[in-house]
Amino acid sequence: MHSRERVIRAIEFRNPDRVPITHATLPGASKRHGERLRALYAQYPSDVADVGAATSGEWTPEIGVPAPDTWGTLWVRYTDEHKGQAVGHPLADWSALADFQPPDTAGDGTMAAIEANIRRNGGKYTLADGDTLWQRMFYLHGYREMLEDLVLCPEASAALRDMILTVMLRRVERLCRLPGLDGIHFRDDWGTQEALMINPQLWRAFFKPAYACLFGLARDAGKHVWFHSDGAIASIVPDLIEIGVQVFNPQVGAIGRDKLATLCVGRVCIQADIDRQWTLPYGSADDVRAAVRADYAAFGGAEGGYIGRGEVASDVPLENVRAMFEELLRCA
């Protein structure tokens, strides 16, 4: 079974030959491990090809040197391990919103590059970035300010949401017309370690309809909807599934494996998040293998519903990366 079919079958609960593998790497890991990590990835190749990001700039070219992203937010990166901090917000003052010119993330050149990447994918499942909504809002306006103004300035907040949504919808519309593209990936970190960042009722009223538009557009075109969100977001997981998420990449440890399984099993395919706060960096290879087996038992099975993944940072030993991949391949 080739990679594309394997991933599709896992997503659609149609008996893949094994668990698909995906890679997730922070720049610090590439800098620390270099060719040894590349060789390990070649031995355990990803079944998914990421064929096009929506924006750039969150990882600035030089440590300590501010640089803008595609939308004009100013970032500073302090380590090779983490993306930068947003330090300059072009819409810090709401008065700037009226004249703000958002970028076109779906231009002809962008789409041509994605098409070329699809052609080069070598039989893998192809996945393009649909961008971020909530995070873009606070990148542009400021995090604390955005949290406050969802309540204090709802009309301005809605105008910002809708401007970003318009850009995202144009991109998704054009992605949906690309032959050979299998899925569209959306991403918004919605949780702290303890709870949703905002009241779930506010999330449902203010954000859920926007996501439903994006996800519905993709699904109507026959593209799979992937969604990533870190943190303790159990309160909105049923909503995300209801409006069309088919592959969900949560922070398992923040939600709890058993609680997440209750919410998700048989309803949505889980893209794994082998614990990156403790197990992958500080656990033994046996700890990593046990975590993979526990996740597979909770979320997967012979019919599918599970995609392997573990984020490799510079503090993750290569023996743990190898153990993760080896154990994933035993999950058949």
Side-chain angles (χ1 to χ4, degrees):
M1 190 177 291
H2 57 67
S3 289
R4 181 173 182 270
E5 181 181 0
R6 177 178 299 122
V7 177
I8 291 172
R9 283 176 173 266
I11 294 170
E12 297 178 357
F13 297 90
R14 294 195 288 111
N15 302 97
D17 60 339
R18 63 163 173 81
V19 169
I21 287 175
T22 55
H23 296 164
T25 317
L26 295 181
S30 298
K31 187 171 183 178
R32 175 188 174 190
H33 297 301
E35 185 55 41
R36 292 182 301 153
L37 180 58
R38 287 189 287 274
L40 190 58
Y41 281 165
Q43 187 177 354
Y44 301 95
S46 174
D47 289 298
V48 174
D50 292 312
V51 295
T55 58
S56 62
E58 295 172 21
W59 296 87
T60 54
E62 274 188 82
I63 290 176
V65 179
D69 69 11
T70 305
W71 287 73
T73 298
L74 198 64
W75 294 79
V76 177
R77 180 168 61 94
Y78 299 104
T79 75
D80 285 317
E81 198 58 76
H82 306 292
K83 72 180 183 181
Q85 297 290 316
V87 295
H89 310 287
L91 298 180
D93 190 321
W94 284 124
S95 64
L97 180 58
D99 296 322
F100 183 78
Q101 295 298 313
D104 181 5
T105 63
D108 290 344
T110 299
M111 292 297 118
I114 293 173
E115 284 190 278
N117 288 337
I118 292 171
R119 290 193 295 270
R120 287 193 293 264
N121 86 87
K124 294 185 177 184
Y125 180 100
T126 56
L127 185 65
D129 180 21
D131 213 345
T132 178
L133 175 60
W134 162 237
Q135 289 176 212
R136 186 72 56 206
M137 289 177 70
F138 66 73
Y139 294 164
L140 290 169
H141 186 58
Y143 179 66
R144 177 176 175 176
E145 292 78 7
M146 197 67 255
L147 287 171
E148 293 174 345
D149 285 348
L150 286 173
V151 176
L152 298 177
C153 302
E155 291 184 0
S157 297
L160 176 57
R161 175 203 59 198
D162 292 346
M163 179 193 70
I164 298 167
L165 180 61
T166 298
V167 173
M168 294 177 72
L169 285 169
R170 170 170 157 75
R171 178 175 172 85
V172 173
E173 286 170 353
R174 295 210 65 183
L175 289 175
C176 285
R177 297 200 294 267
L178 295 183
L181 181 68
D182 297 308
I184 301 176
H185 179 255
F186 302 92
R187 50 197 166 82
D188 266 318
D189 288 339
W190 268 112
T192 69
Q193 287 290 116
E194 297 178 354
L196 205 68
M197 292 179 185
I198 65 174
N199 184 293
Q201 296 299 332
L202 176 59
W203 185 92
R204 293 185 183 104
F206 194 90
F207 289 99
K208 185 177 178 179
Y211 287 129
C213 288
L214 291 163
F215 301 167
L217 189 61
R219 291 198 61 164
D220 287 347
K223 311 300 183 186
H224 292 129
V225 173
W226 297 52
F227 190 80
H228 162 80
S229 189
D230 278 341
I233 64 164
S235 59
I236 62 168
V237 169
D239 299 276
L240 291 167
I241 297 171
E242 175 195 332
I243 59 177
V245 171
Q246 294 162 285
V247 183
F248 181 39
N249 174 227
Q251 191 176 358
V252 177
I255 297 174
R257 185 182 287 119
D258 292 341
K259 178 185 289 188
L260 191 63
T262 299
L263 295 170
C264 294
V265 169
R267 302 179 184 93
V268 66
C269 179
I270 294 294
Q271 186 187 28
D273 175 59
I274 304 303
D275 175 43
R276 57 197 133 97
Q277 293 179 305
W278 168 255
T279 306
L280 274 177
Y282 306 120
S284 67
D286 285 342
D287 292 331
V288 172
R289 292 188 183 95
V292 171
R293 289 195 301 271
D295 272 8
Y296 180 69
F299 307 119
E303 72 279 5
Y306 187 68
I307 294 173
R309 178 187 179 275
E311 188 174 83
V312 182
S314 64
D315 56 359
V316 176
L318 285 184
E319 54 266 30
N320 284 2
V321 182
R322 181 180 296 278
M324 175 179 67
F325 289 145
E326 287 176 348
E327 200 61 41
L328 285 168
L329 291 184
R330 294 190 181 104
C331 298

